């Protein structure tokens, strides 16, 4: 069993829809939780970072962490074609990150 | 501009050849990392370094060698390339405090 599980998709939604991306994890040592966005043929870039259970908002993006259920989510409101990318969840313990396999998202104009 | 650069961006080589992928960062971050990204596996850690002259294995280190004589450089060497090492390789760095890693643009390696 992988330490981090992420639905690989692909996921296609119409422009303006709310998108929900999810990851589950099994390692209780994970303390920090991140979402990276990766455009085709580019390196991952940090989108959201949080370390406590609850919600964190940044513009159209909301990161949600539920440590008791070992479950994290990323919500994208008013999705735009420019949001089309692969989204990677990542979790850290002991200075290292463990990544999910990524969800490929396409926003249809 | 500050950041992480990787070279070459694309490389084609043959089985058995030695290949070195370069990574350079201008932030003076203490930690540096090498990952490979493959379909179905996501990003997997190959090696990492906490400081100059300090390196350690990650999840998939076999067939790879690293060195770090200077803080800003972290080269990755495939001593005898195999087809299974065909992948996209990413270098990343992070400061000593915090867990956020910053990634380079990647090197796409094909081993024939």
């Amino acid at each position: 069993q992988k330490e981090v599980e992420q639905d690989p998709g692909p996921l296609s939604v119409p422009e303006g829809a709310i998108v929900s991306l999810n990851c589950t994890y099994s390692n209780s040592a994970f303390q920090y939780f991140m979402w990276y966005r990766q455009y085709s043929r580019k390196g991952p870039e940090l989108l959201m970072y949080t370390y406590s259970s609850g919600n964190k908002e940044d513009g159209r993006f909301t990161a949600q962490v539920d440590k008791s259920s070992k479950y994290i989510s990323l919500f994208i409101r008013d999705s735009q074609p420019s949001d089309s990318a692969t989204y990677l969840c990542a979790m850290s313990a002991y200075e290292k990150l463990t990544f999910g396999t990524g969800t490929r998202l396409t926003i249809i104009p | 501009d500050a950041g992480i650069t990787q070279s070459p961006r694309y490389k084609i080589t043959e089985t058995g050849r030695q290949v070195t992928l370069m990574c350079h960062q201008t932030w003076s971050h203490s930690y540096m990392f090498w990952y490979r990204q493959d379909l179905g596996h996501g990003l997997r850690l190959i090696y990492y370094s906490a400081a100059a002259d300090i390196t350690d294995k990650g999840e998939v280190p076999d067939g790879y060698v690293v060195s770090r004589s200077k803080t800003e450089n972290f080269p990755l060497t495939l001593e005898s390339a195999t087809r299974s090492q065909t992948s996209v390789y990413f270098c990343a760095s992070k400061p000593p405090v915090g867990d956020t890693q910053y990634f380079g643009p990647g090197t796409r390696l094909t081993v024939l």
Side-chain angles (χ1 to χ4, degrees):
Chain A
Q1 182 189 5
K2 292 182 178 179
E3 283 188 298
V4 179
E5 299 279 357
Q6 182 175 8
D7 186 342
L11 183 62
S12 295
V13 300
E15 183 176 354
I18 296 174
V19 176
S20 172
L21 304 169
N22 309 295
C23 288
T24 59
Y25 64 96
S26 57
N27 188 346
S28 298
F30 290 139
Q31 296 181 338
Y32 299 91
F33 305 90
M34 296 159 225
W35 287 94
Y36 282 81
R37 178 175 61 194
Q38 185 177 22
Y39 290 114
S40 181
R41 295 186 175 263
K42 302 286 187 183
E45 57 177 342
L46 181 70
L47 195 58
M48 297 285 287
Y49 171 96
T50 184
Y51 59 89
S52 58
S53 284
N55 294 350
K56 180 178 180 180
E57 269 193 40
D58 185 1
R60 296 184 295 110
F61 299 91
T62 299
Q64 185 177 81
V65 174
D66 183 346
K67 287 187 177 182
S68 62
S69 300
K70 295 188 175 64
Y71 189 91
I72 71 169
S73 298
L74 177 70
F75 298 97
I76 306 174
R77 291 184 300 279
D78 187 25
S79 54
Q80 303 294 309
S82 59
D83 296 328
S84 297
T86 296
Y87 290 79
L88 305 161
C89 63
M91 308 181 187
S92 74
Y94 313 114
E95 312 290 353
K96 292 183 286 184
L97 292 181
T98 301
F99 287 85
T101 51
T103 300
R104 187 174 172 186
L105 173 66
T106 301
I107 307 300
I108 304 165
Chain B
D1 287 345
I4 294 185
T5 56
Q6 293 185 238
S7 62
R9 294 295 315 279
Y10 301 90
K11 177 74 176 177
I12 300 175
T13 191
E14 294 178 335
T15 301
R17 292 193 179 264
Q18 183 179 83
V19 177
T20 295
L21 310 183
M22 304 301 294
C23 179
H24 175 79
Q25 53 110 351
T26 60
W27 291 307
S28 298
H29 284 169
S30 54
Y31 281 86
M32 295 187 76
F33 305 82
W34 273 106
Y35 294 88
R36 60 178 290 173
Q37 187 173 38
D38 305 285
L39 273 174
H41 292 280
L43 283 160
R44 291 182 290 174
L45 183 64
I46 303 170
Y47 268 96
Y48 67 103
S49 168
D53 298 322
I54 301 174
T55 62
D56 208 347
K57 296 178 181 179
E59 181 186 354
V60 288
D62 293 344
Y64 303 94
V65 175
V66 294
S67 62
R68 191 158 177 220
S69 57
K70 293 184 178 181
T71 299
E72 61 266 29
N73 296 326
F74 191 37
L76 176 74
T77 298
L78 289 66
E79 292 192 305
S80 179
T82 65
R83 289 193 182 129
S84 64
Q85 293 177 309
T86 292
S87 186
V88 182
Y89 290 85
F90 288 100
C91 179
S93 72
K94 81 169 195 73
V97 177
D99 291 67
T100 303
Q101 293 183 18
Y102 300 89
F103 284 81
T107 294
R108 189 171 294 267
L109 176 68
T110 301
V111 182
L112 300 176

